[in-house]
Amino acid sequence: MYNFARSLLFRLDPETSHGLALGALDTLHRVGGVQRVYGEPVSDPVELMGLHFSNRVGLAAGLDKNADHLDALGALGFGFVEVGTVTPKAQPGNPKPRLFRLAGHEAIINRFGFNNKGVEHLVAQVKKRHYRGVVGINIGKNLTTSVENALDDYLLCLEAVHGVADYIAVNISSPNTPGLRTLQFGEQLDALLGPIRSRSQELDSALGRKVPLLVKIAPDMSEEEVALVAGSIARNALDGVIATNTTIARDAVKSDPQSEEAGGLSGKPVFEASNRVIRLLRAQLPTLPIIGVGGIDSGEAAAAKIAAGADLVQLYSGLIYQGPGLVKACAEALKQP
């Protein structure tokens, strides 16, 4: 059924079809049809970061930036859903077109630029949710905020979402906000993560529960750079890491006429780059929880992420190409005997 729907959706502009697909999923959910179509969620419980995950398969940030579709997406059988990236103020993002399918490579290029309705809207939506799985919230900075003042935006978002999030992910690795990736390295990373960690601990004490703090990193790093990031994560006592975001590399898709579009490349071509970073992180941080994301298009690919060192996995581009059945296929492949 999904192959037929995809053939229709792929005739439309990618951003238009994205909105239509989410709207259709919302409608199906309202009439109780999601689980009738896609089956009951896979039960494979795991405890990690003090949280209970019903299975190891999650939805990556970016697909539901505003938590407008949280219940419908959760009904697909995800053990956790990450919403955002959200910024303190609403912003339109980059001019359209800003989403491109590289269908021959099962890949996507996006340059959305953190388009979202602002943190107040997202928090209100999360408060209304009926989905009982783990909900992560991915936070970033506004385009108009300088890199030098980025910490202010992250702290504003942290304080706004802390009371409704099951975990919080600090996004410093999107290639679509100028200068953002420079925050991943050296003193700048410590200067960012240190105050965020300190403030999160204060908020944890006030709330009476710990909200795990993670950081999301890019795949485009050398072994030495990954080691530097790992050192900062350890020094600042983060609770986990998400590896990885989209790549700026284009070697694997050079034959596609859209390969030179600016933005981050996701999907199948980022699979090995993501796994490489996961392996390096696992060697540096043997016990740190790692969420593996990038290029998962089958149960076998999800299992390979776990074999590389991830504890949980997230899907995004694979859903576009393979359909919602991918959630169950991955969860079954990772189910503990």
Side-chain angles (χ1 to χ4, degrees):
M1 184 178 74
Y2 180 74
N3 287 340
F4 175 71
R6 188 182 75 175
S7 69
L8 297 177
L9 289 169
F10 273 31
R11 295 176 186 176
L12 303 173
D13 164 76
E15 194 164 347
T16 299
S17 64
H18 177 83
L20 288 173
L22 288 173
L25 183 64
D26 285 338
T27 300
L28 187 63
H29 177 63
R30 279 194 295 270
V31 299
V34 173
Q35 289 186 0
R36 285 201 298 271
V37 174
Y38 296 107
E40 291 294 320
V42 173
S43 178
D44 178 30
V46 59
E47 302 288 330
L48 195 69
M49 303 182 292
L51 300 173
H52 176 83
F53 296 84
S54 59
N55 64 57
R56 296 172 186 267
V57 181
L59 177 68
L63 198 144
D64 189 9
K65 295 177 184 293
N66 301 298
D68 288 338
H69 312 281
L70 179 50
D71 287 341
L73 288 164
L76 291 174
F78 287 108
F80 63 111
V81 173
E82 188 172 318
V83 294
T85 299
V86 68
T87 56
K89 299 175 184 176
Q91 60 181 26
N94 292 320
K96 298 178 182 181
R98 54 193 182 182
L99 183 64
F100 308 89
R101 299 188 199 96
L102 288 69
H105 299 276
E106 293 188 18
I108 293 170
I109 292 174
N110 92 80
R111 52 171 180 263
F112 282 120
F114 290 171
N115 58 309
N116 73 101
K117 298 175 184 177
V119 72
E120 289 184 7
H121 174 88
L122 180 139
V123 167
Q125 293 298 95
V126 174
K127 284 180 177 178
K128 295 191 299 186
R129 77 186 188 271
H130 296 286
Y131 170 65
R132 301 327 308 164
V134 170
V135 176
I137 301 180
N138 188 295
I139 62 174
K141 81 169 191 72
N142 279 114
L143 175 64
T144 54
T145 302
S146 67
V147 172
E148 292 75 19
N149 295 319
L151 175 61
D152 296 338
D153 277 13
Y154 285 104
L155 290 175
L156 283 169
C157 282
L158 174 72
E159 291 166 0
V161 308
H162 184 272
V164 299
D166 292 313
Y167 72 81
I168 297 169
V170 179
N171 188 347
I172 54 172
S173 51
S174 169
N176 300 319
T177 297
L180 190 74
R181 284 192 171 194
T182 63
L183 296 173
Q184 291 183 113
F185 304 113
E187 294 179 0
Q188 281 187 286
L189 184 55
D190 278 330
L192 184 74
L193 295 183
I196 294 175
R197 171 80 281 179
S198 178
R199 183 61 180 138
S200 73
Q201 289 171 334
E202 293 172 356
L203 293 167
D204 287 346
S205 296
L207 186 66
R209 73 174 175 94
K210 180 179 175 60
V211 179
L213 184 68
L214 296 83
V215 64
K216 186 168 186 176
I217 64 172
D220 308 305
M221 288 191 282
S222 67
E223 185 172 348
E224 293 74 20
E225 288 168 336
V226 173
L228 289 172
V229 170
S232 184
I233 288 170
R235 281 191 300 276
N236 292 290
L238 264 66
D239 300 294
V241 60
I242 302 173
T244 61
N245 212 319
T246 57
T247 180
I248 56 174
R250 295 290 189 270
D251 293 348
V253 296
K254 280 183 177 178
S255 60
D256 194 287
Q258 297 190 102
S259 63
E260 295 306 312
E261 291 288 350
L265 175 73
S266 63
K268 212 166 187 175
V270 79
F271 180 70
E272 289 299 339
S274 164
N275 288 1
R276 179 187 69 89
V277 171
I278 291 168
R279 285 190 289 268
L280 291 170
L281 283 171
R282 181 51 71 217
Q284 294 282 334
L285 302 165
T287 62
L288 186 79
I290 296 175
I291 300 176
V293 54
I296 297 174
D297 62 353
S298 65
E300 292 77 13
K305 278 275 187 287
I306 299 296
D311 300 284
L312 307 171
V313 300
Q314 287 180 328
L315 311 178
Y316 188 145
S317 300
L319 283 176
I320 309 303
Y321 286 99
Q322 306 302 325
L326 179 63
V327 182
K328 191 167 192 174
C330 291
E332 289 283 9
L334 301 183
K335 188 170 183 176
Q336 297 298 299

